[in-house]
Amino acid sequence: MKRAFAIVILAYVLALGAAWATFLVLQRWPPLVALAVADGVATVVVFAFSVLTNNSSLYDPYWSVAPVPIALFWLFRPGSDGLANARHGLIFGLLCLWALRLTVNWARRWRGLEHEDWRYVDIRKNTGPWYWPVSLLGIHLMPTVLVFLGCLSLWPNLSDRGTPLVLADGLAALVTLAAVAIETVADQQMEHFRARPASERGPFPSGLWSWSRHPNYLGEVLFWWGLYLFVLAAHPAFWWTIVGPLAILALFLGVSIPMMERHLLAKYPASYAQYQQHVSPFFPWPPRSRSPQRAELDH
């Protein structure tokens, strides 16, 4: 595992260096465009390591790692008062809290270079010799684009000067912090459910998992909407950055959740079918009365 983590760290350090070098070359371009190209170059570097290790899961931490340097880019642009601004500090702090939690959660669950996410394994089987082009476009570049769109909210929020905290920022902070809390609690409840012997646990996870079949995804989507609320609080002219949270919502509702549902239903056809009948698929809702068989879930 030490060697595997060393390779991941090397890949991301080189990706960051390539992104910085790209921006230096393109520094006369509009900053947002230059940043987007640099983000793409960093993704290609990580993709190269995925090919070298024959494992697309090397890209998985990118989702939570990339927003931090993107935020730093805007914080230290000319015209921004950086972390001297309390509002900047609040937004950046919430972003770092989210990124740290998600990255640590990935590292805790990662099983090394010999293990690849089941989604990628299925794609590999279905695409055959076209797997790596599909991996570049669908597993690497597509999520990078979605995260970049989500990070558009950071542009007006962190590149300004002298913007004070307002009451609406409190609501945005509450939503963003609640999103991180939901993800954290959901992951802990699932780990607790898995760790208990089948004879000692309920038919399926309790707590948040009895109100939504995908509370971890719910928390993730809510986080990006929280960042967007900061835009509405201080920079309503940038309302169009809503494209970010909308794109991420579409990803989870249109791709991630249906894929996970099919996987779990195929793996546990009886118990998961009953779980589906009693628990809301995404948006939280009180559970219906139930008496299903014991379920084994693997979010």
Side-chain angles (χ1 to χ4, degrees):
M1 285 298 291
K2 289 183 179 180
R3 175 179 173 274
F5 275 114
I7 291 174
V8 172
I9 292 171
L10 175 63
Y12 281 80
V13 168
L14 291 179
L16 180 61
W20 179 247
T22 300
F23 182 77
L24 290 179
V25 172
L26 304 179
Q27 57 185 314
R28 294 184 181 275
W29 288 27
L32 187 62
V33 177
L35 181 61
V37 174
D39 195 15
V41 169
T43 301
V44 171
V45 171
V46 174
F47 171 73
F49 274 84
S50 293
V51 174
L52 290 173
T53 59
N54 195 31
N55 193 329
S56 291
S57 284
L58 203 80
Y59 175 83
D60 289 347
Y62 199 96
W63 182 282
S64 57
V65 170
V68 175
I70 289 176
L72 290 171
F73 173 84
W74 294 118
L75 277 172
F76 295 105
R77 289 290 298 165
S80 170
D81 47 9
L83 292 175
N85 183 305
R87 191 170 188 272
H88 290 181
L90 173 63
I91 296 170
F92 185 64
L94 289 168
L95 178 73
C96 288
L97 178 64
W98 164 84
L100 179 63
R101 191 216 70 84
L102 196 55
T103 305
V104 169
N105 191 59
W106 164 81
R108 183 168 56 88
R109 293 185 173 186
W110 192 47
R111 287 180 261 171
L113 295 173
E114 293 74 26
H115 174 77
E116 190 172 34
D117 189 284
W118 62 266
R119 301 169 185 85
Y120 310 155
V121 173
D122 287 349
I123 293 173
R124 189 188 290 267
K125 291 177 181 177
N126 293 331
T127 56
W130 293 99
Y131 172 68
W132 285 113
V134 170
S135 177
L136 173 62
L137 295 175
I139 298 175
H140 291 74
L141 288 176
M142 188 269 286
T144 290
V145 170
L146 291 173
V147 171
F148 188 82
L149 291 176
C151 287
L152 288 176
S153 296
L154 300 174
W155 176 19
N157 281 326
L158 299 181
S159 63
D160 58 353
R161 179 181 294 276
T163 304
L165 282 167
V166 295
L167 187 60
D169 287 324
L171 174 61
L174 183 62
V175 171
T176 309
L177 189 60
V180 177
I182 288 171
E183 289 186 288
T184 303
V185 172
D187 286 340
Q188 290 177 342
Q189 289 176 342
M190 179 55 71
E191 290 298 323
H192 180 68
F193 176 78
R194 290 173 179 168
R196 297 180 63 187
S199 59
E200 298 180 7
R201 63 191 181 204
F204 47 74
S206 58
L208 296 176
W209 297 90
S210 65
W211 286 64
S212 168
R213 297 202 297 270
H214 304 278
N216 49 346
Y217 292 167
L218 173 67
E220 183 63 23
V221 170
L222 192 62
F223 171 78
W224 296 100
W225 282 97
L227 289 185
Y228 177 69
L229 289 178
F230 281 107
V231 174
L232 296 183
H235 301 285
F238 283 81
W239 62 268
W240 55 268
T241 58
I242 195 175
V243 65
L246 281 176
I248 291 174
L249 177 63
L251 168 69
F252 281 96
L253 292 183
V255 180
S256 299
I257 290 178
M259 186 180 294
M260 180 64 77
E261 291 279 293
R262 289 192 298 269
H263 172 72
L264 292 173
L265 195 57
K267 195 171 184 179
Y268 314 109
S271 58
Y272 199 76
Q274 293 187 52
Y275 184 50
Q276 289 177 315
Q277 294 174 7
H278 298 285
V279 178
S280 170
F282 182 65
F283 297 104
W285 195 257
R288 305 179 187 93
S289 60
R290 61 189 187 269
S291 57
Q293 301 172 14
R294 299 185 183 279
E296 295 281 351
L297 308 183
D298 61 353
H299 272 64

